[in-house]
Amino acid sequence: KQWYHRRVREEIQANINEIELLLRQSKQQVVQALLQGELVKQKELLKTVSRPEKKQIVKSVSKTKRISNYSWDENLKYVKIYVRDIKKAEETIEEENIEANFEERSFSVILRNVGVQGINYSLSIGNLNKDISPETCKVVTTKTGVNVLLSKVKTSMWTNLKLQKEEKKDDIPKMDKDADPSAGLMNLMKHMYATGDDEMKRTIAKSMYEAQNKQATGEASKLPDMGDMGTGFDNL
């Protein structure tokens, strides 16, 4: 929400600046009157989205405990982080005691005064597998903790919560200079298919499917056996 309000304020301020520039350049009274009226409207609008008065966060004297025990799940649109067993069912976490910051590839959450002992907790995860939409992410309290809902920018399955290290060059099949070039290319394609995401698999399977059709009509030379990729296009 804070990110959204900041963007709206910036857009309105940009409108005000441009109108004031046009007013200085305009020589027609009718045009000046119209611009002046619009300027008043934009300034009034800016007041409605002015920075909200921040609620005072009640801080406890206890040290902050870092949350390292969590689980996660996903669907095509969202990733959900589950934090459990940090409070009892009858205990509540007030909204003003939840501090969350979401970025494109990371997020952090601080929970203050949790439970009768007033314990502070923090959860910070960076290097996310793919981009998230900060303005639509949120933290929801549960009976024993919180759930962090991350909104994906693109509809896809991540498989891993964090971005994995790039493949080592040794993991990529090497092209044998003395071998059949088409066979070496097929081995590389198979490797990319086996290690790629759904979009990569779909692209490769479609390419192989079209190549087979050309081969059947005599438009292309015979291709090596494609293995599982031969039927992959129908299943993706």
Side-chain angles (χ1 to χ4, degrees), residues 30-31 42-43 65 106 128 132 142 145-147 182-183 210 216 224:
V30 175
V31 175
Q42 291 294 321
K43 287 184 176 181
K65 291 186 177 181
S106 64
L128 293 173
I132 59 175
T142 63
V146 295
N147 291 340
S182 62
E210 292 173 351

Side-chain angles (χ1 to χ4, degrees), residues 1 30 44 50 53 59 96 100-101 112 136-137 168 188 210-211:
K1 290 182 180 180
V30 175
E44 289 297 322
S50 59
E53 186 176 335
K59 297 183 179 181
E96 59 265 26
N101 180 46
R112 304 186 188 277
T136 52
C137 298
K168 296 180 181 179
L188 180 60
E210 292 173 351

Side-chain angles (χ1 to χ4, degrees), residues 57-122:
I57 298 177
V58 180
K59 297 183 179 181
S60 76
V61 295
S62 62
K63 293 182 179 180
T64 300
K65 291 186 177 181
R66 187 171 175 228
I67 298 172
S68 57
N69 187 21
Y70 60 84
S71 59
W72 73 285
D73 195 5
E74 67 170 328
N75 57 31
L76 288 173
K77 294 183 177 181
Y78 300 99
V79 171
K80 186 179 287 188
I81 313 292
Y82 302 93
V83 178
R84 301 184 177 95
D85 301 327
I86 62 172
K87 72 178 188 68
K88 296 180 180 179
E90 64 273 14
E91 296 172 340
T92 60
I93 302 177
E94 300 298 333
E95 185 177 350
E96 59 265 26
N97 288 333
I98 300 176
E99 184 179 333
N101 180 46
F102 298 98
E103 303 292 341
E104 290 183 351
R105 286 291 182 104
S106 64
F107 74 90
S108 62
V109 175
I110 297 178
L111 310 172
R112 304 186 188 277
N113 289 326
V114 179
V116 294
Q117 296 180 350
I119 300 174
N120 297 334
Y121 292 94
S122 71

Side-chain angles (χ1 to χ4, degrees), residues 69-216:
N69 187 21
Y70 60 84
S71 59
W72 73 285
D73 195 5
E74 67 170 328
N75 57 31
L76 288 173
K77 294 183 177 181
Y78 300 99
V79 171
K80 186 179 287 188
I81 313 292
Y82 302 93
V83 178
R84 301 184 177 95
D85 301 327
I86 62 172
K87 72 178 188 68
K88 296 180 180 179
E90 64 273 14
E91 296 172 340
T92 60
I93 302 177
E94 300 298 333
E95 185 177 350
E96 59 265 26
N97 288 333
I98 300 176
E99 184 179 333
N101 180 46
F102 298 98
E103 303 292 341
E104 290 183 351
R105 286 291 182 104
S106 64
F107 74 90
S108 62
V109 175
I110 297 178
L111 310 172
R112 304 186 188 277
N113 289 326
V114 179
V116 294
Q117 296 180 350
I119 300 174
N120 297 334
Y121 292 94
S122 71
L123 172 64
S124 181
I125 300 178
N127 197 32
L128 293 173
N129 199 334
K130 295 180 181 178
D131 289 347
I132 59 175
S133 298
E135 65 273 16
T136 52
C137 298
K138 59 183 179 179
V139 180
V140 180
T141 58
T142 63
K143 286 185 177 181
T144 62
V146 295
N147 291 340
V148 182
L149 188 66
L150 306 179
S151 178
K152 297 179 179 179
V153 171
K154 295 183 179 180
T155 55
S156 64
M157 298 301 285
W158 289 10
T159 306
N160 296 299
L161 180 60
K162 293 185 177 183
L163 185 64
Q164 302 298 297
K165 292 182 179 179
E166 294 183 2
E167 290 181 318
K168 296 180 181 179
K169 292 183 179 180
D170 294 338
D171 294 337
I172 300 175
K174 295 182 179 179
M175 301 285 284
D176 188 348
K177 294 181 180 179
D178 299 326
D180 182 359
S182 62
L185 178 60
M186 186 55 60
N187 288 335
L188 180 60
M189 295 287 281
K190 286 181 178 180
H191 175 78
M192 293 171 63
Y193 183 89
T195 59
D197 56 17
D198 290 344
E199 186 64 29
M200 175 67 74
K201 286 184 171 70
R202 189 178 296 109
T203 301
I204 294 175
K206 182 179 179 181
S207 176
M208 294 298 97
Y209 180 84
E210 292 173 351
Q212 273 192 329
N213 286 342
K214 288 184 179 180
Q215 178 187 330

